[in-house]
Amino acid sequence: AAVRGAMAAEGPRSLFALSAAAVSHSMEALERDVWALPGHLLRGLLPLLTVFHLERAESAAQRAGLSTQPIWRKLWDDVMKTRPPNSENITCWRKKFLETFFSNVLHGVLDVSSDWRLHHHHFSPLLHSSPHVSQLTLCNMLQGAVELTAEHNQKVLENLAGSLRILKFQHLLSSDQSIRRSLVLLLHRLIHHGSVSQVYMYSWPVPDTVLLVLILSMSAGFWRSGNALMYHSSPCGLCREEGKAQSQELAQERAGRGCYDERERSSDENQKGSPSAPKEADMEVNGCGADAHVNSVLCRASSPLHNQACEEASSKVPCDHTSVEGGSSCCISDQLSCQHVLRKTRRRLKPAMGKKRRCLRRSRGPHADSEDLYDFVFTVAKEDNSGLLNKNSATEGENAENWTSSSPGSPCNGNAGCKKRGGSAGIFSLKAAHRFRSVSTLELFSIPLTGETCRTLSNLLSSWVSLENLVLSYNGLGANISCILSALRALSRHSDCHLRVLRVSDIFSHMPCMELVRCILSAFPQLHTLSVSFDLKNQLEGNRPEGNASCSEVEIPESCLEQLEIRFPREPLHTAFLLPVLKASKSLQQLSLDSATLPSSQELGLLLEALKECNPNLKKLSFHDVNLAEHQKEVLLLLQDPALQEITFSFCRLFESSTTEFLSEIINTVKRNSALKSLKLPGNRLGNHRLVALADIFSEDSSSSLCQLDVSSNCIKPDGLLEFTKKLEGYIQQRGGQIQFTHLRLFQNWLDQDAETAQEALRRLKAVCSVVNDSWDSSQAFADYISVM
């Protein structure tokens, strides 16, 4: 009826259209016959199908040589009613629609009854669209996490575990324990047993520390078994399956070793009776009484954070199990790094003969699970040098590494910025956790990190060998940057670490940019990309990490750096400070310098000499917001460099005090340089006459290979753009169409002043090259400029 109503609204239809509508209405009975139709008939039928049948028609359409992309694009326009960002780069509208459809339905933004194509009695919106979801954003109170972990969405979660690659958190708010428990299950399934490889967290002005540490720790692959990983009163089946083979090996190994004597057991009992032991054991007891079939413990010795021995791992059996509400008695492992695994149904692992069974009894009320989750995140409330880690309360696993102490081997040495004040409350204890799969990309944007959370992050980073990309943006690190440096230094000692990209940006710089660059490269020379960016200089002089030698005195080992980006908070660029970095980076291919001041007229010349001598492989060089008005000679030297393929002078005031001869020299230099492929000149006030002159780069006598030209934000008007276009067309005709120019960027120019002329210029330009522009309101921009003057 909905189909007929929609067609009736469009007016009289042909006999074929009426027949197609009837077939669409009877797809339940005719589906198999429809997929066998010839292509010309199937083409007319596809737009009349619901999303459910359109998605199922993909294979049949491909066999008939048809594309469903235009139909999915129309669906997007009709249902979403927005233009997606970067729509020109979307290659599959089917995936784009279904992915956005999933997110909107999950968050209650889209009502499936709003369009007849979205409604079908066999169509489950979340279930059928989930296989197409590669990235997902959770926000606010994490309602999406609660919905996805509901029992009726088990299959949805299973689909996401296979398809989802990117998980984003945005504008999070504080949440209660039940929501956090749902989040634990979601992260465990999507990260530890799924395919999520990138985690992003954005815009969290007042982060909930428990929630933040929870997301960070599980992204790093740390958690433990127990009720936190229960899925509707059943332990994680995937953990159980993964542990079967290992538990068999462990049982065989233990059978050959025998068992401990009574004296060793008594000694162990005395140690467990120390004041700190019950608190530590209480954390691991979580979940023991939830299932009556738990009878073995798996020691994950492969993790460097786990104790070296779990001598009694397979000897634990449940005892006196009762319901959670009524209280229960739970067995614990002697080692906190052992994982509970379900007993096999067909074969029972018998405990070692003559071995005493110990059970730690405690009353568990209805809120015990919530307390366990909180305790895990804040397990070190008293874990300082006189607490759980005191040698007097050490257990059999005393050789396990202490990841929260301030010993020399720890990632954070307790210097200024990492110093423990009144204990280490809030630091995540890794020795009680298991190691699962972890993500390769972590980005924290606009999330303030306190000293405690910095130390937690530092401890996680120190062994996060799978991490490839780390982005820390506007986190207010301050002196706590030393925690991150300590973690990088510890991580670099792992032969299998994969970190290659590090980006650090903030409002205030705790130390000079070049000093921080040297510190990072000396701590982690394996980096391929390093970006350091600060808005303002810290006005508090002498506010530096205590006990650390000045990074300017640290020798930088030979690095693998290929890309270096530095945004100075209006600091002077001293080549003498940059030179050691350039010398250590023989593989450098890209260098970007932003917002630096040149202390002398010779400084840029010294930099060019250093680059030529130390970095012969440099391909891309970028200057942004650096005043080059008085450095015309150096600009011309750069433009004639035969090694550089891309040069950017962005908002560099190139023509502020120049003559017309300087522009001619630039054009002639580029015409002679066959190596230069991209020239970016945004924000240099080219105006109409200079833009028209730049067309001479492509004249008949030019040997230039320039492919890309960026003239954004250059006060270009429609008549000037049209004149440039006509001149370019003339040169192309003279050269018989043989021209390599392919891309022109025109963002934020004054093209709205004469829409008709601008449209003609753009139309003719697009016949020559790819043009990227926007519908910029120049009058509003001028008003904004005046308002801040």
Side-chain angles (χ1 to χ4, degrees), residues 25 90 203 211 268 281 305 340 395 436 546 549 636 770:
H25 185 66
I90 296 176
S203 304
L211 197 57
D268 182 63
L305 301 181
H340 298 280
T395 64
F436 295 93
E546 299 172 8
L636 293 174
S770 174

Side-chain angles (χ1 to χ4, degrees), residues 474-476 505-509 533-538 567 569:
Y474 298 96
N475 307 119
S505 58
D506 221 322
I507 296 178
F508 293 103
S509 63
S533 173
F534 294 100
D535 298 336
L536 301 171
K537 188 187 304 184
N538 195 336
R567 182 166 179 257

Side-chain angles (χ1 to χ4, degrees), residues 280 305 377 379-385 387-390 400-407 409-414 418-420 423-432 452 455-460 462:
E280 197 166 2
L305 301 181
V377 177
T379 183
V380 291
K382 294 184 179 180
E383 206 171 73
D384 56 9
N385 290 336
L388 291 176
L389 302 174
N390 190 292
E401 192 164 357
N402 173 12
W403 293 92
T404 56
S405 70
S406 57
S407 62
S410 299
C412 195
N413 295 330
C418 311
K419 195 172 291 183
K420 299 178 182 179
S424 55
I427 302 178
F428 174 71
S429 177
L430 302 182
K431 67 189 182 67
E452 302 294 347
R455 289 194 289 275
T456 299
L457 179 59
S458 173
N459 291 338
L460 293 171
S462 62

Side-chain angles (χ1 to χ4, degrees), residues 27 31 35 42 46 49-72 91-95 98 132:
M27 282 296 293
E31 180 174 345
W35 301 155
L42 192 59
L46 289 175
L49 299 179
T50 63
V51 169
F52 175 73
H53 286 112
L54 182 60
E55 204 274 333
R56 292 163 65 90
E58 195 67 30
S59 298
Q62 290 179 359
R63 287 195 301 269
L66 302 176
S67 173
T68 60
Q69 292 300 305
I71 304 173
W72 289 108
T91 57
C92 182
W93 280 98
R94 174 194 181 201
K95 180 183 184 303
L98 290 172
H132 302 274

Side-chain angles (χ1 to χ4, degrees), residues 300-509:
R300 305 177 73 92
S302 59
S303 170
L305 301 181
H306 296 150
N307 295 332
Q308 297 177 359
C310 294
E311 298 293 341
E312 298 175 333
S314 64
S315 66
K316 303 303 176 214
V317 295
C319 53
D320 300 333
H321 288 283
T322 59
S323 65
V324 174
E325 289 75 6
S328 64
S329 298
C330 300
C331 300
I332 63 167
S333 167
D334 288 348
Q335 300 298 326
L336 293 180
S337 62
C338 294
Q339 178 182 7
H340 298 280
V341 182
L342 271 185
R343 178 183 64 182
K344 295 183 180 181
T345 58
R346 297 185 179 179
R347 180 172 175 266
R348 183 175 299 182
L349 294 177
K350 296 182 179 180
M353 295 298 294
K355 195 148 171 118
K356 296 175 72 176
R357 298 172 178 80
R358 297 182 297 114
C359 294
L360 179 66
R361 300 174 179 268
R362 72 168 179 173
S363 175
R364 293 172 60 85
H367 302 293
D369 291 351
S370 299
E371 293 171 356
D372 288 340
L373 180 60
Y374 186 88
D375 288 344
F376 178 70
V377 177
F378 286 99
T379 183
V380 291
K382 294 184 179 180
E383 206 171 73
D384 56 9
N385 290 336
S386 61
L388 291 176
L389 302 174
N390 190 292
K391 62 181 180 180
N392 294 328
S393 62
T395 64
E396 291 165 308
E398 62 185 357
N399 292 328
E401 192 164 357
N402 173 12
W403 293 92
T404 56
S405 70
S406 57
S407 62
S410 299
C412 195
N413 295 330
N415 294 326
C418 311
K419 195 172 291 183
K420 299 178 182 179
R421 300 172 177 85
S424 55
I427 302 178
F428 174 71
S429 177
L430 302 182
K431 67 189 182 67
H434 300 292
R435 199 68 182 263
F436 295 93
R437 177 185 175 276
S438 54
V439 302
S440 60
T441 296
L442 176 68
E443 179 174 344
L444 306 179
F445 178 83
S446 190
I447 300 177
L449 298 179
T450 64
E452 302 294 347
T453 50
C454 275
R455 289 194 289 275
T456 299
L457 179 59
S458 173
N459 291 338
L460 293 171
L461 289 175
S462 62
S463 62
W464 199 334
V465 294
S466 70
L467 191 65
E468 300 175 6
N469 301 275
L470 175 62
V471 182
L472 301 174
S473 300
Y474 298 96
N475 307 119
L477 290 176
N480 291 313
I481 188 66
S482 56
C483 272
I484 307 301
L485 294 175
S486 298
L488 292 176
R489 194 170 290 109
L491 180 61
S492 68
R493 301 189 188 107
H494 293 265
S495 59
D496 56 343
C497 69
H498 290 78
L499 185 64
R500 295 297 178 264
V501 178
L502 175 63
R503 300 183 186 276
V504 179
S505 58
D506 221 322
I507 296 178
F508 293 103
S509 63

Side-chain angles (χ1 to χ4, degrees), residues 616-659:
N617 297 318
L618 191 68
K619 298 293 187 295
K620 298 180 180 181
L621 181 61
S622 173
F623 293 92
H624 175 79
D625 199 13
V626 179
N627 188 355
L628 300 179
E630 305 299 331
H631 296 82
Q632 299 176 13
K633 177 184 176 182
E634 289 79 7
V635 169
L636 293 174
L637 287 174
L638 283 172
L639 290 173
Q640 69 185 29
D641 191 317
L644 291 174
Q645 296 179 4
E646 180 178 306
I647 299 177
T648 301
F649 298 116
S650 174
F651 293 87
C652 290
R653 301 155 70 174
L654 285 181
F655 305 104
E656 187 173 277
S657 58
S658 67
T659 61

